[in-house]
Amino acid sequence: MALDINLMVGGEAGQGVQSIGFILAKLAARNGYEVFADQDYESRIRGGHNFFRVRICASDVGTLTEKVDLLIALNKDSVLLHSQEMRADGMMIYDNDAVKDLASEGNLLGIPLQTLAKEKAGNKIMSNTVALGAVAYLIALDLDRLKELLLERFGPGETGEKNTIAAQAGFDHAREHFEMTARRVPAGSNGRKMLLNGNEAIVLGALAAGCRFMAGYPMTPVTPILEGMTENATRMKVATLQAEDEIAAMLMAIGASFAGVRAMTATSGGGFNLMVEGLGLAGMTETPLVIVEGQRPGPATGLPTRTEQGDLLFLLHAAHGEFPRVLFAPSTVEENFWLTVKAFNLAEKYQIPVFILTDHHMATSYWTAPKFDLSQVVIDHGRIYSPGVPVDGDYRRHLLSEDGISPRAFPGTKGIVVFTAGDEHDEHGHIIEDAGMRAAMVEKRLRKTDLVRQEIAAPKTYGPEKADITLLGWGSTFGAIREAVDRLCHEGMNVNCCHFAEIWPFPVGAVEEVLAKGNRKYMVENNATGQMAQLLRAQTCIRVDGCILKYDGRPISPRFIVDQLKKEVGAVW
Amino acid sequence: MALDINLMVGGEAGQGVQSIGFILAKLAARNGYEVFADQDYESRIRGGHNFFRVRICASDVGTLTEKVDLLIALNKDSVLLHSQEMRADGMMIYDNDAVKDLASEGNLLGIPLQTLAKEKAGNKIMSNTVALGAVAYLIALDLDRLKELLLERFGPGETGEKNTIAAQAGFDHAREHFEMTARRVPAGSNGRKMLLNGNEAIVLGALAAGCRFMAGYPMTPVTPILEGMTENATRMKVATLQAEDEIAAMLMAIGASFAGVRAMTATSGGGFNLMVEGLGLAGMTETPLVIVEGQRPGPATGLPTRTEQGDLLFLLHAAHGEFPRVLFAPSTVEENFWLTVKAFNLAEKYQIPVFILTDHHMATSYWTAPKFDLSQVVIDHGRIYSPGVPVDGDYRRHLLSEDGISPRAFPGTKGIVVFTAGDEHDEHGHIIEDAGMRAAMVEKRLRKTDLVRQEIAAPKTYGPEKADITLLGWGSTFGAIREAVDRLCHEGMNVNCCHFAEIWPFPVGAVEEVLAKGNRKYMVENNATGQMAQLLRAQTCIRVDGCILKYDGRPISPRFIVDQLKKEVGAVW
Amino acid sequence: MVATAKVTQKVYAGGPTAWCPGCGNFGILSALKKALVDLQLEPHQVLMVSGIGQAGKLPHYIRTNGLNVLHGRTLPAAAAAKIVNHDLVVIAVGGDGDGYGEGGNHFLHAMRRNHDITYLVHDNQIYGLTKGQASPTSDEGFITKTTIKGAVDPINPMALAIASNASFVARGFSGDMEHLSGLIKAGIQHKGFALIDILQPCVTFNRKNTHAWYRERVYRLDQESDHDPADRTTAFTKSLEWGDRIPIGVLYRQERPVFEDRFLPITVDQPLVGLSPEPGGVESLLDEFV
Amino acid sequence: MVATAKVTQKVYAGGPTAWCPGCGNFGILSALKKALVDLQLEPHQVLMVSGIGQAGKLPHYIRTNGLNVLHGRTLPAAAAAKIVNHDLVVIAVGGDGDGYGEGGNHFLHAMRRNHDITYLVHDNQIYGLTKGQASPTSDEGFITKTTIKGAVDPINPMALAIASNASFVARGFSGDMEHLSGLIKAGIQHKGFALIDILQPCVTFNRKNTHAWYRERVYRLDQESDHDPADRTTAFTKSLEWGDRIPIGVLYRQERPVFEDRFLPITVDQPLVGLSPEPGGVESLLDEFV
Ligand SMILES: Cc1ncc(C[n+]2csc(CCOP(=O)(O)OP(=O)(O)O)c2C)c(N)n1
Ligand SMILES: Cc1ncc(C[n+]2csc(CCOP(=O)(O)OP(=O)(O)O)c2C)c(N)n1
Ligand code: SF4
Ligand code: SF4
Ligand SMILES: [Mg+2]
Ligand SMILES: [Mg+2]
């Protein structure tokens, strides 16, 4: 089997679990490997139990796997909680300064991390970096590249320097005391891929799309989007703002968009609840808008730092009344970027709200990806009013055009005024009571639904073209499903998959075509009610044969899918 | 044909259109007839154009019809706007003190309303009452009963007295100058039915159900529910409260319910947007709740004083995450009452939120109904904790019971504490991070869906048991569809209907049974996208053959259905 | 007014009104038009953002750019429009229910952020459009169908604004058009958030706080007192005056940094609305992830 | 404390905490427990209603009835629980972001309605649980990842409360447990809405307003000044004091009718929660529609 190494760092919040894990992921990426990494943490700032997993592969990877090759246990709990997850030939590094009652023998590699840090680098606090050095030795990652990374992270000054010394100490200690693990990483190419998570890819996508305004309110898992936009605000000329609440954030995005710039907001399901009213306003006033929703387990506050796909049907039907919208649920880190760009374009072309529906798993997992090719980024502002057409002084924001799209103009344009209202309105945007104009406006808005549907890509397929079983899914589950397909095919089953990233307007025709074959269909979702299965039925009357659902707040793994599918088809196999 | 008289009062806001119309409706009801009455008005307080229609029948009626037998035009606009709606033998009363350039001849009956009011009752302002007297003569409604009503309304003092004089003057004038209309009301029985609208029936239902708390925020069309509850608050011992916004209203209802009383709120789609977050909280904390949502045309502020059925799918999917709920959409005034009682019972039995989804048309239309039989009202609080079971000190609000229902207890109970959280929690209501407990809690909550489904009544059917065509619908359209069925059958078509009032959990089995026959199906909805048609497809894979949709803000009439259906089946007929 | 003026009342003529005859809103509409004409602003330079209610309809009756949003949600939309295009004169307008009830949170935070916008609140102490329920400013004890035991202690918008460190806090009266128009002008000219709470009789639903009731009580601060609008404490004390005498005019005014200038991560030298994308910047950003 | 006390600290022992070691929240938890014990209240008599945030977790760590609602939504839920069962001692608790950001509107209106509840705000001038963004009370210029040019002018909860005519307005400090516990006791005993804003160092994310920072500045109003909490204007002036010296204690207190007694359409003689339905009343109501 191809290279596939799985590392895990475990410890309590505040111990630097995320930091070590990230450096390892980055190190592997710098070595030219494909990496997938994700964190599991509690809704607290210190204590509790966290872990970070890094998977290093030679080829494309979009999911974690179950068994651990190398565990870095920063505390006793990690030793206890994760030993069962170790592969038979797996190794565990632990701090034998901290965990005294464990014998360093066999694959249990006790290292006096704190002592080494103190002795060599002069500071106990660098024990994590000592561990990093040891790992670099054990799985044969390049020590120089590790040092380079440490200097980038901690700066070229004393702190950086000391960290390289600590890493060297760990490396040396490991070389002296242990053998390399069986699963070492062969010296890789210097591919210099990007390593980034879903949130970061969305920030980049928004910036590439020329987004000029973002208002938000902190909420896990998408707070880093607001923070990331703000970090880049000065150089990219984006106005960003932490609002008093989500209602304000949404209305601000609408105000900015109406005034003439690309605008967005981001929140999780709980915060989105409060944006529903604004969503309807955007629908009624035909204001372009991009809304990122990062799902986490609900209802209500649920599990704030966990993952779920429980908000699909909510977003598709949110807000009273009827108006067109678009919904994307990116399934790879690249899609996070490209669908964000597309979202801004569709929002402006059709003057509608566009959702990017992600989830905790997608938002926070790190992936490697080749550098996005910005020459492929196209910006389409849609139909913009040119003075004189129609004649000056009679600009009509809601012109009843044949395709339902009226030219946009922005306040401040000499010679005209631009008006719109959340009340039903006439072409000029002014309140009406008239039945005929009402019906005409409803039809105008809804005409855009079929138009925008033509822009929606068909679901992705993977695996053999003809198969007995098709696994279906959407959003963040793609990596896991794809790998499940591989494993099942490997085991001799004939399975493929059909996966949705561009979900609404539902690409009915394309779906019916893809699913026309008479194979058995199983829907894989990270929720409890099979929301995509319901949507598929509502849109196409296609019933799936079963659902593989996970709703414990944890992401779906290939093994879970394989096991569940076997249960489902048990009788048959 | 059976008795069927249609009156219309037209004028501008502030002229007393609603007041005259209501008295006429009440008068007919007092005469023992079945009445249906509704108002058409603009979102303004004075001016514009309003009209009120009253339909008087010998038997059950639940909709308006198109043609007017008698128009009371309080201003010139009404004459102009409504003449085409008159039946050939219809009559029009107008004030020839106000509308000078119209000749009183044929069926145009000019009456010097203001002069008569001034001369006989000493006050021009009573011209409306003069008109009422004239109407009483023209369609042969009992003058004494009219006087009785006026005294009830204006009190037995001078104002009441003068109003009876004004009515007499109008009556006398009409007797002297005009002939009765062809469509007069034969002296009726003294049936003394109730005359009330949907909002009032909900207030009565809530009070009968023992609701003890209501918080709300004014919003058309359901403001009268908060006002009605408040009016009766003192004698019925209900705490009511106009909150600062809908978010607060919703949270207040949750706080009150958690503390141990039956609680409700009411709003329209726009306000409900803001309650979505609270809805999820009720779902997560398993707090019983009754929410009335009175639909009006959306999105956003839309047409505030008009009607639509555009919020069905929104309410069914509102709030992130997954949890059970119930949705009723009453289709008669009686159902407004009885389903409200049932809503409170189901909310408590299953510890879930229950929607009563009404609309402007249903909320504000007046219907006659026999007095509700309160002996049929049953109150079921569901499972309540008894001290000692389970043992004191270990009360578990979210006990993982087999059927998903945990006994409720209320704060203040000696020996125990009651705890719940909007975070995912353990049986005691305390925050958890654990995957296993999370999954168990999700399953516990969702188990209640199938349980409560068993309480949902099958859709109503009407018309021949075997038919070529079945009209489907939900909520406020029942009266119109039923009458369309009658008319179509009368014309020789073989049509019946299937109509939903108890919509969620969708009574899948019952529906499949009712719709099993191979007839053609047309869905009638007051919206633009056929939401119930979508729901039906999602739940049963049954596709309708067409949709008859109206989305101009006006209610659906029997004629509209008949005409549209004929277009739909045109080729066939 | 000015003989050579380009901009006249006529260019601001809007659609037909749907207010009740005699409503105080008419005075506000006139005062606003006069202020805009006095300032010689052209309609395309002005953006009105309004909520829902009788007051919220105002932008439909004057010919400027307009964004008529939701009940209570004027301020965030108005603030953002100003952020992305600071060339616009942004005026938010709504009712007392809209601004202090549904929109109370935005009110608090817009004041502290000190966005450079003007906020007109038509304060009729009642919910007009929904037919007469108590509003947050209804006098204590005011009876309506939802407050049958009387309204609770009202919000005091002036006191709240002063406590929130708003930079321009004024009260006007729709019955004193001249004075009100001056306040609106001053509000627009003020660099920062300008609150103008306007006493506005609702002739249909508020039978207590009528034209006559207000007229008897209001007095102009600049004429009948030596009030110093620069002093926060005395401004607070003044804000508590409500009863036999009600002050109108500027209660409090200060200079402090506006949000657009000081607290945005970008410097708004040129309106954002005019900028085109800069792919170069993104390219270098991508490199940071390698 | 009292030798014969039935109620001890032990009966209030709650679950394990998830706060950082050294967090100011621990002081608040202790002060609260002490206050409840001092008042000899039993756990079943107390209802804690909390929001989301580090502060909002508090009720999980003390054994009373508890309703842990949503971020920013404590007050309406708490007020309603009190309305339907006035026998309960209702204590709302949340963070500064929770109460003054997301929940700002409820804050304003709960104060004017004067519900008879106590409201503890853990004011760490930061968003703790979401890892360190500016809060509405972050000091002006405070740099975080969302305020890279510094936080705007903060909300002043004391000034806002006094402007809102709140009936009990106090500030405590988590580092002065004795004093804080006294404030909480006084707040619970006060008939009406009692706001206690509590300075609470967040040792992880707020590196400016630390334990030491607060300790250097806070002084007790009752000991080190002759402040008269009955005077609204001087209370307002006091509320503006923030910098080298920060007053703790009761800034303002007044007696005024509470919502439950004066403004509800019903008289709350007996808790509503105990009443059974009265079909007789409905019957007579039906007759009115005939
Ligand atoms: C979210 C929401 N809630 C309620 C309403 C209904 N509504 C429309 S106007 C209004 C109140 C109007 O009062 P105010 O803001 O004082 O304006 P006025 O009509 O008095 O000028 C309300 C409650 C609404 N449109 N939206
Ligand atoms: C509607 C909503 N928006 C955002 C969040 C995310 N969130 C959780 S806690 C918190 C802020 C916490 O700050 P604060 O209220 O000051 O409490 P602290 O953690 O500092 O005690 C936020 C924004 C949420 N849970 N709900
Ligand atoms: S109801 Fe009152 S506020 Fe509204 S237009 Fe009429 S008078 Fe003016
Ligand atoms: S993050 Fe701050 S407020 Fe939260 S527990 Fe830690 S120290 Fe306390
Ligand atoms: Mg008002
Ligand atoms: Mg805080």
Side-chain angles (χ1 to χ4, degrees), chain A residues 39 41-47 217-220 223 226-228 230-234 240-247 271 273-274 296 300-301 304, chain D residues 17-21 52 54 57 69-71 73 97-98 100-103 127-135 144-148 203-205 207:
Chain A
Q39 195 184 184
Y41 63 106
E42 300 182 3
S43 182
R44 60 192 290 165
I45 307 300
R46 298 256 180 276
Y217 188 82
M219 191 155 195
T220 307
T223 310
L226 178 61
E227 292 174 343
T230 304
E231 189 187 337
N232 294 300
T234 311
T240 67
L241 172 44
Q242 177 180 327
E244 58 270 29
D245 57 29
E246 288 85 353
I247 302 178
N273 290 330
L274 296 161
R296 57 192 221 191
T301 309
Chain D
T17 60
W19 291 322
C20 310
I52 299 297
Q54 301 287 20
K57 293 178 184 169
V69 296
L70 301 160
H71 185 56
R73 312 300 170 198
D98 186 281
Y100 308 140
E102 188 80 72
Y127 282 18
L129 193 57
T130 49
K131 305 193 175 173
Q133 301 79 22
S135 94
T144 71
K145 285 188 182 176
T146 57
T147 55
I148 57 176
V203 298
T204 305
F205 295 112
R207 303 295 168 93

Side-chain angles (χ1 to χ4, degrees), chain A residues 41-44 247 269-270 273-274 276-277 280-281 283-284 293 296-306 308 310-311 313-314 317-323 422-424 432-436 438-439 442-443 445-446 512 527-531 534 537-543 551-554, chain B residues 41-44 247 269-270 273-274 276-277 280-281 283-284 293 296-306 308 310-311 313-314 317-323 422-424 432-436 438-439 442-443 445-446 512 527-531 534 537-543 551-554:
Chain A
Y41 63 106
E42 300 182 3
S43 182
R44 60 192 290 165
I247 302 178
N273 290 330
L274 296 161
V276 170
E277 198 192 10
L281 180 67
M284 188 55 136
E293 208 262 67
R296 57 192 221 191
T301 309
L303 290 172
T305 62
R306 310 279 167 190
E308 189 164 278
D311 306 354
L313 292 177
F314 171 38
H317 301 103
H320 68 293
E322 302 170 303
F323 54 94
D423 280 87
E424 189 57 280
I432 54 143
E433 293 278 353
D434 177 50
R438 158 71 182 175
V442 169
E443 287 162 9
R445 286 188 293 266
L446 292 179
E512 281 171 344
N527 63 39
T529 63
Q531 298 195 15
Q534 292 177 54
R537 212 161 58 212
Q539 292 293 315
T540 64
C541 280
I542 297 174
R543 288 178 194 267
Y551 42 82
D552 62 358
R554 274 65 177 175
Chain B
Y41 63 105
E42 301 183 1
S43 181
R44 61 192 289 165
I247 302 177
N273 289 330
L274 296 161
V276 169
E277 198 192 11
L281 179 67
M284 189 56 137
E293 208 261 68
R296 57 190 220 190
T301 310
L303 290 172
T305 62
R306 311 279 166 189
E308 189 165 275
D311 306 354
L313 292 177
F314 172 38
H317 301 104
H320 67 293
E322 302 171 303
F323 54 94
D423 280 87
E424 190 57 279
I432 54 143
E433 293 278 354
D434 177 50
R438 158 72 182 175
V442 169
E443 287 161 8
R445 286 188 294 266
L446 292 178
E512 281 170 345
N527 64 38
T529 62
Q531 299 195 14
Q534 293 177 53
R537 213 160 58 212
Q539 291 294 313
T540 63
C541 280
I542 297 174
R543 287 181 195 264
Y551 43 81
D552 61 359
R554 274 62 178 178

Side-chain angles (χ1 to χ4, degrees), chain A residues 27-28 30-31 135-137 139-149 171 185-188:
Chain A
L27 185 55
R30 284 275 170 92
N31 273 278
V135 174
Y137 171 75
I139 59 173
L141 286 168
D142 192 294
L143 180 63
D144 289 336
R145 285 222 176 95
L146 173 58
K147 288 184 177 171
E148 175 190 303
L149 267 174
F171 189 90
V185 182

Side-chain angles (χ1 to χ4, degrees), chain C residues 44 96 110 149 159-160 187 254:
Chain C
H44 78 273
D96 44 337
K149 297 244 283 181
L160 267 186
Q254 64 169 321

Side-chain angles (χ1 to χ4, degrees), chain B residues 111 113 115-117 119-121 126 129-131 133-134 143 147 162-177:
Chain B
I111 307 182
L113 295 174
T115 310
L116 283 169
E119 275 174 15
K120 308 284 174 162
M126 286 172 195
T129 310
V130 176
L143 180 64
K147 289 183 177 172
K162 290 230 167 119
N163 269 286
T164 62
I165 294 170
Q168 182 74 51
F171 190 88
D172 293 344
H173 181 94
R175 188 172 49 189
E176 281 158 37
H177 294 84

